Amino acid sequence: MLIERIYDEDLAQASYLIGCQAKGEAVVVDGRRDIAVYRDLAAKNGMKIVAVTETHIHADYLSGTRELAAATGAKIYVSGEGGPDWQYEFDGERLYDGDKITIGNISIQALHTPGHTPEHLSFLVTDGAFSDQPGYLLSGDFVFSGDLGRPDLLDEAAGGVDTRLMGAKQLFASLRDKFLTLPDYVQVHPGHGAGSACGKALGAIPSSTIGYERLYAWWGPYLAANDVQGFINELLDGQPDAHAYFGRMKRENRQGPAVMGERAPLVELDIADVAKDLAEDKVTFIDTRPNAVVHERSVTRSLNIPAGKSVASYGAWVVNPEADRNPLVLLAADQEQAQEVRDHLVRVGIDNVAGYVTGFEGLPTFTPRLIQPSELAGFDEAMVLDVRNRTEHAAGHIPGSHQLSGGRVMWHLDELPAEGTIVSYCQSGVRNSVAASALRRAGYDVVELDGSYNAWAAWNQARESVSAD
């Protein structure tokens, strides 16, 4: 048997390929939409992808289940659990608690483990060529290394009302009745790692075991004492902000993400054509350079989505394809970087990329306004805006600042002043540059605090030390 973990550092998301070498067949679990990695991995191991499935209706990325099925002819399996309000709306065989997918000697059994979502499945894997007992659990967003999937996302991002308490109770029951009934030696392979917004304290370790989590996870003592209320209180306390785009992901994943099919290579666009389209507001310009470079000069009304490991996350913060139909033009170093950025964007349903340019001479430009921490006290601003998570804000912030995380700000413009200057900051400046660029494009007068909170905290500490002397 082969189990391969495919990890996306952008979204801190893990998908899995489970293969039977004897039969040359494989199943993909929780795949993403840029599917070349799965096809290449299967080919490398002489396997054909014959089945695709997923643990639940995801909120943080757009599922590649339909994309893989269309490309490979694989059969789709999705959860049939959760009741009438949580049924998938596209074709696929429904899996219920105890149902199995079989390839060769490998058995993949669905376990209904609600709590994070009502329809959530985990997959218990048995390698029949080695043992008649299960050895592996693909736990999705149910159990992570050292943490649990949050039960409040339906309230936070998907329009639910007070579903978090029921979800928390379901998580307790799923742990008690399913997870803790498994042998301690069973390996646990979760759907996310550190940095994901699907939990509050995910570990960076890629896998765990039933026994290790039983002994050392924070929730262990609550289960041992059957303390349901204490468990609920601890689980719900301190959860990070849920990004606003999660609601769109939920809808599209339930309905069935659009199948892209084979995608042509991105082409380099003529700068004169881009200038014309910008003047007519027919395209949206994406500056993929680091924020420090963008601060020197950038294209007017461009969005800053820095190339690197967080393209999908930042892209979904500031590009809403349901509201902005403009094709995207990427400023990239070359075609390879542009295509990598596009691959990340499609993971969150941002598909409309027209092409790329490698420079912007001839296009209208501007220089973003920055102020130093020492200037803030005398600055006449309408609002000081903290675009970090609420947990970061609670740990320390600029006095009088208003917290609205970068992943939510463009969906909550009613919280911002209609007139006047907004001074924005994050922790070091990267997230702030992304959010500030979107606010400028929306017509707000935004000034960025140079160095963000780190710079302000250092300046404030130095000022207080001088005052104390």
Side-chain angles (χ1 to χ4, degrees), residues 10 39 54 71 123 173 184 194 253-254 303 325 355 374 386 410:
D10 189 336
R39 301 182 72 177
E54 53 193 65
F123 293 106
D184 282 351
N253 279 326
R254 180 178 177 178
L303 297 174
R325 304 287 182 173
S374 59
D386 184 344
M410 297 308 297

Side-chain angles (χ1 to χ4, degrees), residues 67-372:
E67 195 73 37
L68 265 169
T72 65
K75 185 174 181 178
I76 292 175
Y77 297 85
V78 292
S79 176
E81 297 282 3
D85 293 336
W86 290 97
Q87 296 302 302
Y88 286 85
E89 297 175 5
F90 58 89
D91 292 338
E93 182 170 327
R94 272 32 182 182
L95 293 173
Y96 298 89
D97 189 56
D99 287 349
K100 295 179 181 179
I101 302 170
T102 302
I103 54 169
N105 292 316
I106 300 171
S107 170
I108 303 168
Q109 181 181 357
L111 300 182
H112 184 214
T113 50
H116 176 66
T117 61
E119 81 291 350
H120 193 286
L121 300 177
S122 298
F123 293 106
L124 192 60
V125 182
T126 300
D127 181 4
F130 186 76
S131 170
D132 62 355
Q133 296 300 311
Y136 314 87
L137 181 74
L138 272 58
S139 58
D141 288 21
F142 168 36
V143 175
F144 303 125
S145 292
D147 201 10
L148 300 172
R150 58 192 296 184
D152 62 320
L153 279 184
L154 304 184
D155 286 356
E156 288 286 316
V161 179
D162 293 333
T163 63
R164 64 188 68 202
L165 293 177
M166 177 58 70
K169 292 176 182 178
Q170 289 177 332
L171 268 178
F172 189 94
S174 293
L175 287 167
R176 180 192 61 208
D177 301 337
K178 295 289 177 64
F179 189 82
L180 293 179
T181 64
L182 298 173
D184 282 351
Y185 59 76
V186 171
Q187 296 179 25
V188 178
H189 296 272
H192 289 289
S196 169
C198 291
K200 64 178 178 179
L202 283 70
I205 303 299
S207 64
S208 185
T209 65
I210 299 290
Y212 192 87
E213 295 303 307
R214 185 198 309 272
L215 288 173
Y216 300 115
W218 66 262
W219 48 264
Y222 294 104
L223 268 293
N226 198 32
D227 182 0
V228 178
Q229 191 57 52
F231 171 86
I232 291 172
N233 294 342
E234 179 65 24
L235 177 64
L236 295 179
D237 181 57
Q239 290 287 358
D241 295 292
H243 304 315
Y245 81 89
F246 282 7
R248 176 170 61 86
M249 295 293 95
K250 277 284 184 187
R251 291 193 303 274
E252 293 188 25
N253 279 326
R254 180 178 177 178
Q255 294 163 1
V259 174
M260 300 179 294
E262 293 294 330
R263 294 174 293 157
L266 284 179
V267 298
E268 186 169 3
L269 304 174
D270 182 82
I271 201 74
D273 292 337
V274 173
K276 181 175 181 295
D277 287 340
L278 283 173
E280 297 174 1
D281 196 24
K282 291 182 177 179
V283 296
T284 299
F285 196 90
I286 307 297
D287 192 333
T288 69
R289 300 174 302 159
N291 64 305
V293 182
V294 168
H295 287 160
E296 296 174 3
R297 188 167 67 108
S298 186
V299 172
T300 303
R301 299 189 71 236
S302 62
L303 297 174
N304 180 208
I305 304 175
K309 72 173 188 176
S310 298
V311 169
S313 303
Y314 293 155
W317 287 9
V318 297
V319 177
N320 182 0
E322 293 182 331
D324 186 356
R325 304 287 182 173
N326 278 355
L328 307 184
V329 173
L330 309 178
L331 173 62
D334 50 33
Q335 185 187 55
E336 181 180 2
Q337 185 186 62
Q339 294 191 160
E340 182 179 357
V341 168
R342 178 179 66 171
D343 279 348
H344 282 245
L345 291 175
V346 300
R347 296 173 196 174
V348 287
I350 302 171
D351 301 350
N352 194 6
V353 179
Y356 71 97
V357 294
T358 57
F360 54 87
E361 294 305 322
L363 302 181
T365 63
F366 83 117
T367 300
R369 293 173 61 198
L370 280 72
I371 63 169
Q372 300 303 313

